[in-house]
Amino acid sequence: MSLPRISFLEGWERNPTYPSDDEDYQDLPEGSVSSSFPSTYSRLNFNPYAGPGWNERPDDHDDRSTFLNLSPTTTREGRASPAPVSARAQSPERHEPVHVEVIARKEPWADTTGAYEVSAARRIAQVCTAVVYCFLAAGVVFGFAAIKPILIRENVYRNLCTKAELDEGVDVCDRQEIRLNLMFTIAAVVTNVSALPVGTILDAYGPRVSGIIGSFCLAIGALLFGTAHKLPFDGYIPGYLFLALGGPFVFITSFHLSNTFPARSGLILSMLTGAFDASSALFLIFRLLNEHTDGLVSIPSFFAVYLIVPLFIIIAQIFIMPANSYKTAGQLVQQAEEQVADETNDHIDDSVTDQDERERLRKDRRLRRQSIVNQIQSLLDDGTASVVSATTIDDTVFHIDAHLSPPKPSPPVLPKSHPQPQPSQGGVWGVLHGRSALNQLRTPWFTLITAFTVLMMLRINYFVATLRSQYSYLLTPHTAKTINTFFDIALPIGGLLSVPFIGTFLDTFQTRTVLLILVSTATAIGILGCIPDSLPAAYGNIILFVLYRPFYYTAVSDYAAKVFGFQTFGKVYGLVICLAGVGNFAQAGLDALTLIVFGGDPIPVNVGLTLLVAVFGGGLVAFVWVMTNVLEKERVDGVSGQGERAPLLSETEGRNYGV
């Protein structure tokens, strides 16, 4: 029912293999840095086609363009680089370096923009603009519970009712209910599945093109939905589908704006996620206007006005938003260290005969590099950066007297490795890092989280689509209307209230504890949904649900990053969400069971879903709990020896965690 929710865009990830002795990597080319040092600073990527192949281990994948656009055999200047140490070690009798011709690659920041290159006022305007249009477009389809009464009031799909049902004057007949719910089911599936192509398009064409594509999808959706009553075909389902398709293009392409102010990236991500959660309130506003104007603000009139939103997004993308993504904090630090390395290895150009001109050219280069480094330091080092800080950049070379004799040519100085931060208390961090995506899919770590996600997403979507009809049966139709209104208000507010605390919660508790709370809360929600004739149970169910929903989706993505790693995140997490989205088609069957087989009684279906969630969720918690104890015992015994973020599992080793 939701798009990917994340509390961070980057993180430290240990490489599966690395030299054990310092001297082993002193002679490696600069491009090898990411594969030679114990840890790298990697960016989350939603593109399932980026990075290593399904059957490739990350350390066997030469093209690291997924995160840094660096090749292990390519220098930052794109020249052919010396062979790796291991290749030279095999030929000890040869003293001259062996050169291997490789295809030149672009620098890791070639297609990105540094925040220091854009004024602070413009960056603030970009963030504020993104928050506004995410509120107006990112997740509007999830306000289905608010717009559904309007659709019923305007007799959408009323033609599917039987003559007997029409004669009885029922508010909504069974077939009408099923078709309306199917509209939301298809939208939920499209939202989850579309996250995969959106990540690919974003990588290939940048945020501006992706945002404009999303705008066209929103415009098409609004046109179809607003004019569906005049069309010779059913325009409601495809219209809602295009509204759902535009959401991921608008939301996911805004994530990079967290790098406009790297030290405030967490706050900006929270603002964007909060705007996404609040966007479901747009249809609530529509419903209130519809009710207070006696239908004057109708579906055609509302969606005619809504066409302003995609137009606003297009104008913003062209005149305000950046064409390319912003550099991440890790890329900024790396770029600064490249400037320092260039300055260290710089020397006077002997091809220029005029001594004064040579000195002037070198001074210009020095000032340009120093300016870049100073701007990056100012951007990062404000005392709030939690993982990457400008204090890791050694710029002492710029404080050496510029009039001193230039240094003699020497072997290139590599950018220094970053000190690794203290590992979090996740307990399972890195357990499958370094393994191929296909190998990860064969483990219980993937199977159990996928089963739990499919069931929970089905449970969430079923509740949203059938909220009013459920409580019309469990309570009364009049009370159900009040409950529906409370839910429409509480859904965006619950998301806004929970977002600031989710990241702290995930960082504080171990993964097994987080999963235990997830499963326990999901079971409690299911139990409350099975209690008839109880108003406190109904309100308690809704309050728990609106707080649980954003926490659940963020926790699943957090689990995927910690267990499977950044390199395969786009593939593994994308597949989890894709399978969960496809599983939502089962909602149509649940609607048929509830309305036709059980005569509108939601209790049997709720009981079945609650039991399935408890069983599979309990299995997930038990498995992670046991494996966490095994991992912690090995760390205490010194088996892993590298801390939680060490490569705890290698395909070449005999240890098998959950295989």
PDB file of all heavy atoms in Angstrom, residues 390-416:
ATOM      1  N   ALA A 390      32.991  16.696   7.320  1.00  0.00           N
ATOM      2  CA  ALA A 390      34.101  17.361   6.641  1.00  0.00           C
ATOM      3  C   ALA A 390      35.393  17.219   7.416  1.00  0.00           C
ATOM      4  O   ALA A 390      36.467  17.441   6.887  1.00  0.00           O
ATOM      5  CB  ALA A 390      33.778  18.842   6.451  1.00  0.00           C
ATOM      6  N   THR A 391      35.296  16.858   8.686  1.00  0.00           N
ATOM      7  CA  THR A 391      36.511  16.692   9.473  1.00  0.00           C
ATOM      8  C   THR A 391      37.332  15.510   8.987  1.00  0.00           C
ATOM      9  O   THR A 391      38.477  15.362   9.378  1.00  0.00           O
ATOM     10  CB  THR A 391      36.159  16.499  10.948  1.00  0.00           C
ATOM     11  OG1 THR A 391      35.286  15.380  11.080  1.00  0.00           O
ATOM     12  CG2 THR A 391      35.471  17.727  11.512  1.00  0.00           C
ATOM     13  N   THR A 392      36.771  14.659   8.132  1.00  0.00           N
ATOM     14  CA  THR A 392      37.533  13.535   7.603  1.00  0.00           C
ATOM     15  C   THR A 392      38.388  13.952   6.413  1.00  0.00           C
ATOM     16  O   THR A 392      39.122  13.149   5.875  1.00  0.00           O
ATOM     17  CB  THR A 392      36.605  12.401   7.170  1.00  0.00           C
ATOM     18  OG1 THR A 392      35.780  12.851   6.080  1.00  0.00           O
ATOM     19  CG2 THR A 392      35.714  11.958   8.315  1.00  0.00           C
ATOM     20  N   ILE A 393      38.271  15.192   5.972  1.00  0.00           N
ATOM     21  CA  ILE A 393      39.007  15.675   4.812  1.00  0.00           C
ATOM     22  C   ILE A 393      40.278  16.363   5.296  1.00  0.00           C
ATOM     23  O   ILE A 393      40.229  17.364   6.014  1.00  0.00           O
ATOM     24  CB  ILE A 393      38.165  16.661   3.987  1.00  0.00           C
ATOM     25  CG1 ILE A 393      36.842  16.005   3.578  1.00  0.00           C
ATOM     26  CG2 ILE A 393      38.926  17.136   2.765  1.00  0.00           C
ATOM     27  CD1 ILE A 393      35.867  16.958   2.934  1.00  0.00           C
ATOM     28  N   ASP A 394      41.410  15.842   4.902  1.00  0.00           N
ATOM     29  CA  ASP A 394      42.700  16.416   5.288  1.00  0.00           C
ATOM     30  C   ASP A 394      43.118  17.408   4.215  1.00  0.00           C
ATOM     31  O   ASP A 394      43.560  17.035   3.137  1.00  0.00           O
ATOM     32  CB  ASP A 394      43.738  15.305   5.426  1.00  0.00           C
ATOM     33  CG  ASP A 394      45.079  15.835   5.911  1.00  0.00           C
ATOM     34  OD1 ASP A 394      45.161  17.053   6.217  1.00  0.00           O
ATOM     35  OD2 ASP A 394      46.040  15.045   5.973  1.00  0.00           O
ATOM     36  N   ASP A 395      42.987  18.719   4.525  1.00  0.00           N
ATOM     37  CA  ASP A 395      43.305  19.748   3.540  1.00  0.00           C
ATOM     38  C   ASP A 395      44.571  20.517   3.897  1.00  0.00           C
ATOM     39  O   ASP A 395      44.760  21.655   3.461  1.00  0.00           O
ATOM     40  CB  ASP A 395      42.132  20.731   3.397  1.00  0.00           C
ATOM     41  CG  ASP A 395      41.845  21.474   4.691  1.00  0.00           C
ATOM     42  OD1 ASP A 395      42.359  21.047   5.753  1.00  0.00           O
ATOM     43  OD2 ASP A 395      41.124  22.487   4.659  1.00  0.00           O
ATOM     44  N   THR A 396      45.451  19.908   4.701  1.00  0.00           N
ATOM     45  CA  THR A 396      46.664  20.607   5.118  1.00  0.00           C
ATOM     46  C   THR A 396      47.553  20.966   3.943  1.00  0.00           C
ATOM     47  O   THR A 396      48.348  21.902   4.037  1.00  0.00           O
ATOM     48  CB  THR A 396      47.455  19.734   6.106  1.00  0.00           C
ATOM     49  OG1 THR A 396      47.702  18.449   5.499  1.00  0.00           O
ATOM     50  CG2 THR A 396      46.674  19.535   7.391  1.00  0.00           C
ATOM     51  N   VAL A 397      47.428  20.252   2.832  1.00  0.00           N
ATOM     52  CA  VAL A 397      48.271  20.532   1.677  1.00  0.00           C
ATOM     53  C   VAL A 397      48.039  21.943   1.155  1.00  0.00           C
ATOM     54  O   VAL A 397      48.947  22.569   0.597  1.00  0.00           O
ATOM     55  CB  VAL A 397      48.019  19.496   0.557  1.00  0.00           C
ATOM     56  CG1 VAL A 397      46.591  19.611   0.016  1.00  0.00           C
ATOM     57  CG2 VAL A 397      49.011  19.656  -0.588  1.00  0.00           C
ATOM     58  N   PHE A 398      46.838  22.488   1.367  1.00  0.00           N
ATOM     59  CA  PHE A 398      46.541  23.823   0.875  1.00  0.00           C
ATOM     60  C   PHE A 398      47.102  24.912   1.782  1.00  0.00           C
ATOM     61  O   PHE A 398      47.101  26.086   1.421  1.00  0.00           O
ATOM     62  CB  PHE A 398      45.024  24.021   0.743  1.00  0.00           C
ATOM     63  CG  PHE A 398      44.394  23.149  -0.310  1.00  0.00           C
ATOM     64  CD1 PHE A 398      43.571  22.101   0.044  1.00  0.00           C
ATOM     65  CD2 PHE A 398      44.639  23.377  -1.652  1.00  0.00           C
ATOM     66  CE1 PHE A 398      42.994  21.295  -0.916  1.00  0.00           C
ATOM     67  CE2 PHE A 398      44.063  22.571  -2.626  1.00  0.00           C
ATOM     68  CZ  PHE A 398      43.243  21.529  -2.260  1.00  0.00           C
ATOM     69  N   HIS A 399      47.553  24.516   2.965  1.00  0.00           N
ATOM     70  CA  HIS A 399      48.094  25.503   3.907  1.00  0.00           C
ATOM     71  C   HIS A 399      49.612  25.572   3.858  1.00  0.00           C
ATOM     72  O   HIS A 399      50.232  26.303   4.631  1.00  0.00           O
ATOM     73  CB  HIS A 399      47.629  25.180   5.323  1.00  0.00           C
ATOM     74  CG  HIS A 399      46.138  25.123   5.460  1.00  0.00           C
ATOM     75  ND1 HIS A 399      45.340  26.230   5.291  1.00  0.00           N
ATOM     76  CD2 HIS A 399      45.305  24.078   5.712  1.00  0.00           C
ATOM     77  CE1 HIS A 399      44.074  25.888   5.452  1.00  0.00           C
ATOM     78  NE2 HIS A 399      44.027  24.577   5.701  1.00  0.00           N
ATOM     79  N   ILE A 400      50.212  24.805   2.952  1.00  0.00           N
ATOM     80  CA  ILE A 400      51.651  24.898   2.729  1.00  0.00           C
ATOM     81  C   ILE A 400      51.918  26.117   1.865  1.00  0.00           C
ATOM     82  O   ILE A 400      51.150  26.443   0.961  1.00  0.00           O
ATOM     83  CB  ILE A 400      52.185  23.629   2.049  1.00  0.00           C
ATOM     84  CG1 ILE A 400      51.883  22.407   2.933  1.00  0.00           C
ATOM     85  CG2 ILE A 400      53.660  23.741   1.769  1.00  0.00           C
ATOM     86  CD1 ILE A 400      52.254  21.096   2.278  1.00  0.00           C
ATOM     87  N   ASP A 401      53.008  26.795   2.142  1.00  0.00           N
ATOM     88  CA  ASP A 401      53.331  28.017   1.401  1.00  0.00           C
ATOM     89  C   ASP A 401      53.343  27.729  -0.097  1.00  0.00           C
ATOM     90  O   ASP A 401      54.090  26.875  -0.584  1.00  0.00           O
ATOM     91  CB  ASP A 401      54.707  28.537   1.859  1.00  0.00           C
ATOM     92  CG  ASP A 401      54.984  29.939   1.308  1.00  0.00           C
ATOM     93  OD1 ASP A 401      54.218  30.407   0.441  1.00  0.00           O
ATOM     94  OD2 ASP A 401      55.974  30.543   1.759  1.00  0.00           O
ATOM     95  N   ALA A 402      52.537  28.453  -0.840  1.00  0.00           N
ATOM     96  CA  ALA A 402      52.428  28.235  -2.287  1.00  0.00           C
ATOM     97  C   ALA A 402      53.704  28.614  -3.014  1.00  0.00           C
ATOM     98  O   ALA A 402      53.934  28.181  -4.152  1.00  0.00           O
ATOM     99  CB  ALA A 402      51.261  29.037  -2.853  1.00  0.00           C
ATOM    100  N   HIS A 403      54.570  29.428  -2.403  1.00  0.00           N
ATOM    101  CA  HIS A 403      55.798  29.862  -3.078  1.00  0.00           C
ATOM    102  C   HIS A 403      56.941  28.868  -2.891  1.00  0.00           C
ATOM    103  O   HIS A 403      58.025  29.059  -3.439  1.00  0.00           O
ATOM    104  CB  HIS A 403      56.228  31.236  -2.550  1.00  0.00           C
ATOM    105  CG  HIS A 403      55.199  32.294  -2.823  1.00  0.00           C
ATOM    106  ND1 HIS A 403      54.950  32.782  -4.078  1.00  0.00           N
ATOM    107  CD2 HIS A 403      54.352  32.933  -1.972  1.00  0.00           C
ATOM    108  CE1 HIS A 403      53.996  33.717  -3.995  1.00  0.00           C
ATOM    109  NE2 HIS A 403      53.625  33.816  -2.729  1.00  0.00           N
ATOM    110  N   LEU A 404      56.716  27.841  -2.068  1.00  0.00           N
ATOM    111  CA  LEU A 404      57.767  26.853  -1.918  1.00  0.00           C
ATOM    112  C   LEU A 404      57.929  26.077  -3.211  1.00  0.00           C
ATOM    113  O   LEU A 404      57.030  26.016  -4.039  1.00  0.00           O
ATOM    114  CB  LEU A 404      57.423  25.894  -0.775  1.00  0.00           C
ATOM    115  CG  LEU A 404      57.367  26.514   0.637  1.00  0.00           C
ATOM    116  CD1 LEU A 404      56.933  25.447   1.637  1.00  0.00           C
ATOM    117  CD2 LEU A 404      58.707  27.119   1.011  1.00  0.00           C
ATOM    118  N   SER A 405      59.049  25.474  -3.365  1.00  0.00           N
ATOM    119  CA  SER A 405      59.295  24.705  -4.586  1.00  0.00           C
ATOM    120  C   SER A 405      58.272  23.587  -4.681  1.00  0.00           C
ATOM    121  O   SER A 405      57.958  22.942  -3.680  1.00  0.00           O
ATOM    122  CB  SER A 405      60.716  24.113  -4.564  1.00  0.00           C
ATOM    123  OG  SER A 405      61.673  25.151  -4.455  1.00  0.00           O
ATOM    124  N   PRO A 406      57.743  23.376  -5.855  1.00  0.00           N
ATOM    125  CA  PRO A 406      56.751  22.308  -6.023  1.00  0.00           C
ATOM    126  C   PRO A 406      57.359  20.955  -5.699  1.00  0.00           C
ATOM    127  O   PRO A 406      58.547  20.742  -5.874  1.00  0.00           O
ATOM    128  CB  PRO A 406      56.372  22.415  -7.506  1.00  0.00           C
ATOM    129  CG  PRO A 406      57.562  23.065  -8.151  1.00  0.00           C
ATOM    130  CD  PRO A 406      58.121  23.985  -7.142  1.00  0.00           C
ATOM    131  N   PRO A 407      56.581  20.060  -5.223  1.00  0.00           N
ATOM    132  CA  PRO A 407      57.092  18.728  -4.882  1.00  0.00           C
ATOM    133  C   PRO A 407      57.542  17.988  -6.120  1.00  0.00           C
ATOM    134  O   PRO A 407      57.028  18.186  -7.206  1.00  0.00           O
ATOM    135  CB  PRO A 407      55.884  18.049  -4.229  1.00  0.00           C
ATOM    136  CG  PRO A 407      54.695  18.762  -4.799  1.00  0.00           C
ATOM    137  CD  PRO A 407      55.136  20.171  -5.007  1.00  0.00           C
ATOM    138  N   LYS A 408      58.532  17.150  -5.910  1.00  0.00           N
ATOM    139  CA  LYS A 408      59.000  16.339  -7.022  1.00  0.00           C
ATOM    140  C   LYS A 408      57.951  15.288  -7.356  1.00  0.00           C
ATOM    141  O   LYS A 408      57.206  14.855  -6.494  1.00  0.00           O
ATOM    142  CB  LYS A 408      60.320  15.654  -6.641  1.00  0.00           C
ATOM    143  CG  LYS A 408      61.445  16.648  -6.389  1.00  0.00           C
ATOM    144  CD  LYS A 408      62.722  15.902  -6.031  1.00  0.00           C
ATOM    145  CE  LYS A 408      63.853  16.896  -5.772  1.00  0.00           C
ATOM    146  NZ  LYS A 408      65.101  16.197  -5.416  1.00  0.00           N
ATOM    147  N   PRO A 409      57.906  14.903  -8.638  1.00  0.00           N
ATOM    148  CA  PRO A 409      56.932  13.875  -9.014  1.00  0.00           C
ATOM    149  C   PRO A 409      57.103  12.627  -8.150  1.00  0.00           C
ATOM    150  O   PRO A 409      58.204  12.166  -7.917  1.00  0.00           O
ATOM    151  CB  PRO A 409      57.270  13.578 -10.483  1.00  0.00           C
ATOM    152  CG  PRO A 409      57.934  14.836 -10.959  1.00  0.00           C
ATOM    153  CD  PRO A 409      58.702  15.368  -9.799  1.00  0.00           C
ATOM    154  N   SER A 410      56.023  12.147  -7.658  1.00  0.00           N
ATOM    155  CA  SER A 410      56.025  10.973  -6.789  1.00  0.00           C
ATOM    156  C   SER A 410      54.822  10.119  -7.108  1.00  0.00           C
ATOM    157  O   SER A 410      53.907  10.551  -7.795  1.00  0.00           O
ATOM    158  CB  SER A 410      55.987  11.403  -5.314  1.00  0.00           C
ATOM    159  OG  SER A 410      54.831  12.161  -5.074  1.00  0.00           O
ATOM    160  N   PRO A 411      54.839   8.888  -6.616  1.00  0.00           N
ATOM    161  CA  PRO A 411      53.672   8.030  -6.863  1.00  0.00           C
ATOM    162  C   PRO A 411      52.397   8.718  -6.389  1.00  0.00           C
ATOM    163  O   PRO A 411      52.412   9.449  -5.399  1.00  0.00           O
ATOM    164  CB  PRO A 411      53.966   6.780  -6.030  1.00  0.00           C
ATOM    165  CG  PRO A 411      55.452   6.770  -5.900  1.00  0.00           C
ATOM    166  CD  PRO A 411      55.879   8.204  -5.835  1.00  0.00           C
ATOM    167  N   PRO A 412      51.316   8.550  -7.107  1.00  0.00           N
ATOM    168  CA  PRO A 412      50.062   9.206  -6.741  1.00  0.00           C
ATOM    169  C   PRO A 412      49.663   8.888  -5.312  1.00  0.00           C
ATOM    170  O   PRO A 412      49.846   7.780  -4.822  1.00  0.00           O
ATOM    171  CB  PRO A 412      49.046   8.605  -7.732  1.00  0.00           C
ATOM    172  CG  PRO A 412      49.882   8.105  -8.866  1.00  0.00           C
ATOM    173  CD  PRO A 412      51.182   7.681  -8.277  1.00  0.00           C
ATOM    174  N   VAL A 413      49.126   9.924  -4.652  1.00  0.00           N
ATOM    175  CA  VAL A 413      48.648   9.761  -3.291  1.00  0.00           C
ATOM    176  C   VAL A 413      47.181   9.365  -3.342  1.00  0.00           C
ATOM    177  O   VAL A 413      46.368  10.046  -3.944  1.00  0.00           O
ATOM    178  CB  VAL A 413      48.807  11.079  -2.494  1.00  0.00           C
ATOM    179  CG1 VAL A 413      48.203  10.937  -1.099  1.00  0.00           C
ATOM    180  CG2 VAL A 413      50.281  11.449  -2.408  1.00  0.00           C
ATOM    181  N   LEU A 414      46.867   8.272  -2.707  1.00  0.00           N
ATOM    182  CA  LEU A 414      45.485   7.795  -2.705  1.00  0.00           C
ATOM    183  C   LEU A 414      44.667   8.589  -1.710  1.00  0.00           C
ATOM    184  O   LEU A 414      45.167   9.015  -0.670  1.00  0.00           O
ATOM    185  CB  LEU A 414      45.438   6.320  -2.321  1.00  0.00           C
ATOM    186  CG  LEU A 414      46.100   5.352  -3.279  1.00  0.00           C
ATOM    187  CD1 LEU A 414      46.033   3.958  -2.670  1.00  0.00           C
ATOM    188  CD2 LEU A 414      45.430   5.380  -4.627  1.00  0.00           C
ATOM    189  N   PRO A 415      43.373   8.818  -2.010  1.00  0.00           N
ATOM    190  CA  PRO A 415      42.508   9.389  -0.990  1.00  0.00           C
ATOM    191  C   PRO A 415      42.469   8.460   0.208  1.00  0.00           C
ATOM    192  O   PRO A 415      42.426   7.249   0.064  1.00  0.00           O
ATOM    193  CB  PRO A 415      41.126   9.443  -1.680  1.00  0.00           C
ATOM    194  CG  PRO A 415      41.426   9.392  -3.142  1.00  0.00           C
ATOM    195  CD  PRO A 415      42.669   8.574  -3.270  1.00  0.00           C
ATOM    196  N   LYS A 416      42.451   9.039   1.378  1.00  0.00           N
ATOM    197  CA  LYS A 416      42.516   8.221   2.576  1.00  0.00           C
ATOM    198  C   LYS A 416      41.210   7.467   2.794  1.00  0.00           C
ATOM    199  O   LYS A 416      40.157   7.844   2.323  1.00  0.00           O
ATOM    200  CB  LYS A 416      42.801   9.089   3.794  1.00  0.00           C
ATOM    201  CG  LYS A 416      41.666  10.088   4.087  1.00  0.00           C
ATOM    202  CD  LYS A 416      41.995  10.918   5.288  1.00  0.00           C
ATOM    203  CE  LYS A 416      40.866  11.903   5.579  1.00  0.00           C
ATOM    204  NZ  LYS A 416      41.117  12.721   6.739  1.00  0.00           N
TER     205      LYS A 416
END
